[in-house]
Amino acid sequence: MALEQAILVALSERASAGYDLARRFDKSIGFFWSASHQQVYRVLTRMEQARWVTSAVVAQEGRPDKKVYQVSEDGQDELRRWLSEPTDPEPIRSALAVKIRGAAYGDAGAVLLDVHRHRDQHATRLDIYLEIEKRDFADPARLSGHELHQYLVLRGGISFERGFVSWCDEVIAALHVPASKVT
Amino acid sequence: MALEQAILVALSERASAGYDLARRFDKSIGFFWSASHQQVYRVLTRMEQARWVTSAVVAQEGRPDKKVYQVSEDGQDELRRWLSEPTDPEPIRSALAVKIRGAAYGDAGAVLLDVHRHRDQHATRLDIYLEIEKRDFADPARLSGHELHQYLVLRGGISFERGFVSWCDEVIAALHVPASKVT
DNA sequence: CAGGACATGTAACAGGTTACATGATTAT
DNA sequence: ATAATCATGTAACCTGTTACATGTCCTG
């Protein structure tokens, strides 16, 4: 129910073809709402039928034509409506947490290895966010409007990734067999 | 793909009927992997066919019979296999982040209100976790094995909720129109 | 000439949500 | 009486994933 709205936000920021949109869902907007290109195309078709977006075919040189979508007035209404409505809390699904909790029923060492892997992935993601923060939001005190909003979402990502990494470190510290216990 | 394994972990901790399992997915294990009772029943049926679990009907006085499930040897094998396998990162879907990012295209005040709501929900959840920590894990240095694992997962929840609340506070501080700007 | 980027999709399936259905017992 | 708790499900639907399909152009 919210991929539609995420697309409305993305298209409000910039009109795009399905392909471009799908790539934007691999970064930027996709950092907070992931979607595959198949999903994007399917939903875009549905949204055009509902008249939330309109499309215009744009011819290009040396490349296939593309269908550029933009938000219609109905789409703007819908986005406004959704923004004013309370969101219900997202269900949590952390396979890593399930694994840690169940580690005693299998190879706890393998689970620890996986915690390491996730730690590294999230640390990498954190670095990307910190880069973006440095590059695009050097002076946060002066931000306002849309830029401020983007910055705040990025801050959420930074805080989330930092928390994840430090949790992994705590798990690693607790489960990594200390020398005193090996004997 | 991981509800099966979450159920295997839950049933390894304690054999249960579908109804009890479903309730445990409303708390405890459900804090990290949510599932509705319909899902639990459906997957349990599938798992019994795959012989990962076995069931025994237990008659009760003054209450309907219940089918108590327990993990079979095949189920234990499957859980061990899954625990040794790398988990891929969970896709992130935060409708609240999408909302904040799109706040400029609608009523930013309503979005702020929703941020407050989420802040409160997560603060409540944090309190629950802190209560559990105090009650069940008073002396974390002495924990080992399964109890330690449970504790570490709880620590993850605490860190996540704390991070969420402080992110909301940052958003509220940044978007709450300061008196100097009202004039 | 092979591989990757550009561009748009379809089809089958798996996973999750919402609504409905049944029936007993216990507490208010 | 009525609602809540115990207990187990079915059916329809929506969302998301995986695999497949097609064709052009540009770069190495």
Side-chain angles (χ1 to χ4, degrees), chain A residues 123-144:
Chain A
T124 303
R125 177 59 66 94
L126 176 59
D127 287 343
I128 294 171
Y129 290 168
L130 290 173
E131 262 311 304
I132 296 174
E133 186 184 32
K134 205 165 67 178
R135 199 188 58 209
D136 297 343
F137 305 101
D139 191 359
R142 294 209 186 150
L143 296 171
S144 70

Side-chain angles (χ1 to χ4, degrees), chain B residues 76-91:
Chain B
Q76 288 172 35
D77 288 348
E78 165 56 24
L79 183 53
R80 263 193 294 271
R81 189 200 61 73
W82 180 74
L83 286 169
S84 298
E85 191 189 70
T87 313
D88 28 55
E90 329 278 340

Side-chain angles (χ1 to χ4, degrees), chain A residues 2 5-6 9 12-13 24 28-35 39 76 79-80 82-108 110-111 114 117-118 121-122 125 129 143-146 148-153 155-157 159-161 163-164 166-167 170-171 174-175 181, chain B residues 2 5-6 9 12-13 24 28-35 39 76 79-80 82-108 110-111 114 117-118 121-122 125 129 143-146 148-153 155-157 159-161 163-164 166-167 170-171 174-175 181:
Chain A
Q5 286 79 15
V9 170
S12 298
E13 293 175 352
R24 291 169 66 193
S28 184
I29 191 93
F31 289 147
F32 314 105
W33 195 276
S34 60
Q39 253 181 299
Q76 287 171 36
L79 183 52
R80 264 192 295 269
W82 180 73
L83 286 169
S84 298
E85 189 189 72
T87 313
D88 29 53
E90 328 278 341
I92 293 165
R93 290 201 176 92
S94 168
L96 193 64
V98 174
K99 272 196 168 183
I100 292 168
R101 175 142 176 176
Y105 307 110
D107 180 352
V111 173
D114 213 21
R117 280 186 54 247
H118 281 258
Q121 286 164 5
H122 285 272
R125 177 59 66 94
Y129 290 168
L143 296 171
S144 70
H146 184 56
L148 175 58
H149 301 150
Q150 283 198 163
Y151 171 71
L152 290 171
V153 173
R155 293 287 299 167
S159 137
F160 174 76
E161 300 299 342
F164 201 100
S166 76
W167 175 53
E170 184 180 355
V171 174
L175 295 186
K181 297 218 173 174
Chain B
Q5 286 79 18
V9 170
S12 298
E13 291 174 353
R24 291 170 65 192
S28 184
I29 190 94
F31 288 148
F32 314 105
W33 196 276
S34 60
Q39 253 181 299
Q76 288 172 35
L79 183 53
R80 263 193 294 271
W82 180 74
L83 286 169
S84 298
E85 191 189 70
T87 313
D88 28 55
E90 329 278 340
I92 294 164
R93 292 204 174 91
S94 169
L96 193 64
V98 173
K99 272 197 168 184
I100 293 169
R101 175 140 176 178
Y105 307 109
D107 180 352
V111 174
D114 212 21
R117 281 187 53 248
H118 281 259
Q121 286 164 6
H122 286 273
R125 177 62 64 96
Y129 290 168
L143 297 171
S144 69
H146 183 58
L148 175 57
H149 300 151
Q150 282 199 163
Y151 171 71
L152 290 170
V153 172
R155 293 287 298 167
S159 136
F160 174 76
E161 300 300 341
F164 201 100
S166 75
W167 175 53
E170 184 181 353
V171 173
L175 296 186
K181 296 215 175 177

Side-chain angles (χ1 to χ4, degrees), chain B residues 21-139:
Chain B
L21 244 191
R23 279 193 318 163
R24 291 170 65 192
F25 272 89
D26 284 336
K27 45 180 179 29
S28 184
I29 190 94
F31 288 148
F32 314 105
W33 196 276
S34 60
S36 63
H37 88 269
Q38 294 89 337
Q39 253 181 299
V40 169
Y41 279 115
R42 197 209 300 169
V43 170
L44 232 25
T45 307
R46 199 196 296 157
M47 287 170 78
E48 192 170 19
Q49 276 160 16
R51 300 183 190 281
W52 290 357
V53 295
T54 56
S55 67
V57 176
V58 175
Q60 298 181 110
E61 280 170 44
R63 288 183 186 180
D65 293 358
K66 58 180 182 180
K67 261 173 90 171
V68 176
Y69 290 90
Q70 61 173 319
V71 179
S72 69
E73 279 190 39
D74 283 1
Q76 288 172 35
D77 288 348
E78 165 56 24
L79 183 53
R80 263 193 294 271
R81 189 200 61 73
W82 180 74
L83 286 169
S84 298
E85 191 189 70
T87 313
D88 28 55
E90 329 278 340
I92 294 164
R93 292 204 174 91
S94 169
L96 193 64
V98 173
K99 272 197 168 184
I100 293 169
R101 175 140 176 178
Y105 307 109
D107 180 352
V111 174
L112 233 202
L113 236 168
D114 212 21
V115 174
H116 266 107
R117 281 187 53 248
H118 281 259
R119 199 215 98 97
D120 293 348
Q121 286 164 6
H122 286 273
T124 303
R125 177 62 64 96
L126 175 59
D127 286 343
I128 294 170
Y129 290 168
L130 290 173
E131 261 311 304
I132 296 175
E133 186 185 31
K134 204 165 70 177
R135 197 189 58 211
D136 296 343
F137 304 102
D139 191 358

